Amino acid sequence: MRRTARPLTGTALAVAAAALAAAPAYGAPAGDVEVSPSSVVPGGQVTVRTAACGDGGTATGDASAVGAGSLSLAPGPHEQDATGRFKVPPSAQPGTYEITATCTGSGRRITGDLVVTLTPGDRQVHPRGSVKTGVGGALGPDPVQTAAGVAALAVAAAGGTWLLHRRARGDGI
């Protein structure tokens, strides 16, 4: 009985830990503030939309984290959504910024994320050239350096073999 109790206890603890780690993800309401586009370049326009304030609800938005200040969210074409717009300042630095809104009637505070990048989301940048790691690739741009590296490895292998051979014979090191 004692041998099976430990694995069962460990399994039960692992399942409980996984359930506790996943609990906040299910407990938090998803998509409180919808930021569109979610990724923007400095100087771009952003639309903030939420349905969390109820039908016909209004809210006050705060985009000061990115440097845009406050904005008003009012009912838009869809009566259940409050919508507002702001412009990301041209001086905004790349990163992820939290955009908040506070519902006027209930005082409920909701958040969403905005990612500021240096390249537009529709234009992907592909890397060019080789990676300058110092030891990458068998054939680098300079064959002389490659030959010197191979020679250094050969000398090290020969020296290591010679030392191991002396130790095996008992000559001492």
Side-chain angles (χ1 to χ4, degrees):
M1 178 72 180
R2 188 173 177 107
R3 287 189 173 170
T4 59
R6 283 187 182 174
L8 290 176
T9 303
T11 303
L13 287 174
V15 169
L20 287 175
Y26 293 113
D32 283 335
V33 172
E34 177 187 336
V35 180
S36 177
S38 61
S39 179
V40 68
V41 295
Q45 288 284 336
V46 177
T47 301
V48 178
R49 180 178 298 116
T50 184
C53 296
D55 289 344
T58 61
T60 302
D62 182 17
S64 60
V66 73
S70 63
L71 64 139
S72 295
L73 282 78
H78 307 288
E79 287 296 319
Q80 70 270 15
D81 292 348
T83 306
R85 296 185 69 154
F86 69 92
K87 181 179 178 181
V88 176
S91 61
Q93 297 296 314
T96 302
Y97 297 93
E98 184 177 70
I99 308 300
T100 62
T102 304
C103 295
T104 304
S106 65
R108 180 178 178 197
R109 185 175 179 267
I110 47 183
T111 62
D113 287 335
L114 171 68
V115 178
V116 176
T117 62
L118 294 179
T119 57
D122 59 344
R123 193 180 82 197
Q124 288 192 352
V125 178
H126 299 285
R128 291 179 281 140
S130 61
V131 179
K132 306 282 190 249
T133 61
V135 293
L139 298 174
D142 187 8
V144 174
Q145 288 181 347
T146 302
V150 169
L153 287 173
V155 168
T161 303
W162 179 70
L163 286 173
L164 288 174
H165 182 67
R166 279 188 61 182
R167 178 180 276 178
R169 282 193 333 204
D171 292 344
I173 295 180

